[in-house]
């Protein structure tokens, strides 16, 4: 068995320039349609999330440090922002709304 390489394989590999389109994608709002309305969507890295949120797609907690998506109506204010799990946001058209119940509420 050969030892693990601790140096990069190609030292002369070209790096993408800083003004490349991929460099600014993370954290930049993008447009998306949902429910007949236009939304602005921003991906949040795990290091950018410093408190917990409740995902409207699955009604579960998004823990601090978890990468997720923030979406808000294009013509709405900051108070309409919602934090979604990335998978819940991607599956938003295939899911129905989940009722929010307390633990002691009857399920009928």
């Amino acid at each position: 068995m050969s030892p693990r390489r601790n140096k990069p394989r190609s030292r002369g590999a070209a790096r993408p320039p800083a003004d490349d389109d991929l460099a600014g994608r993370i954290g930049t709002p993008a447009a998306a349609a949902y429910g007949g309305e236009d939304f602005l969507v921003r991906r949040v890295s795990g290091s950018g999330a410093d408190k917990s949120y409740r995902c409207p797609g699955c009604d579960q907690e998004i823990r601090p440090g978890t990468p997720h998506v923030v979406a808000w109506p294009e013509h709405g204010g900051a108070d309409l922002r919602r934090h979604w799990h990335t998978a819940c946001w991607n599956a938003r058209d295939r899911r129905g709304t989940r009722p929010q119940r307390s633990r002691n509420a009857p399920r009928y």
Side-chain angles (χ1 to χ4, degrees):
M1 178 184 327
S2 61
R4 187 178 125 197
R5 294 178 65 125
N6 288 329
K7 59 183 177 180
R9 291 191 182 265
S10 61
R11 293 196 177 253
R15 295 183 185 248
D19 59 341
D20 187 15
D21 187 34
L22 293 175
R25 268 194 206 166
I26 298 176
T28 305
Y34 173 58
E37 196 172 350
D38 291 331
F39 278 79
L40 293 175
V41 180
R42 177 177 290 163
R43 298 191 183 280
V44 179
S45 66
S47 62
D50 57 348
K51 65 181 208 177
S52 62
Y53 299 99
R54 178 77 50 183
C55 175
C58 64
D59 197 34
Q60 298 294 316
E61 181 181 0
I62 300 173
R63 296 183 167 247
T66 304
H68 62 279
V69 174
V70 180
W72 65 96
E74 188 173 15
H75 300 291
D79 56 337
L80 297 176
R81 287 183 297 185
R82 297 294 175 256
H83 295 254
W84 294 69
H85 291 107
T86 305
C88 294
W89 176 256
N90 293 337
R92 67 192 177 277
D93 294 330
R94 297 186 302 266
R95 291 186 171 184
T97 58
R98 290 195 154 216
Q100 296 182 358
R101 299 185 184 100
S102 67
R103 290 184 183 201
N104 298 330
R107 295 186 172 251
Y108 52 86

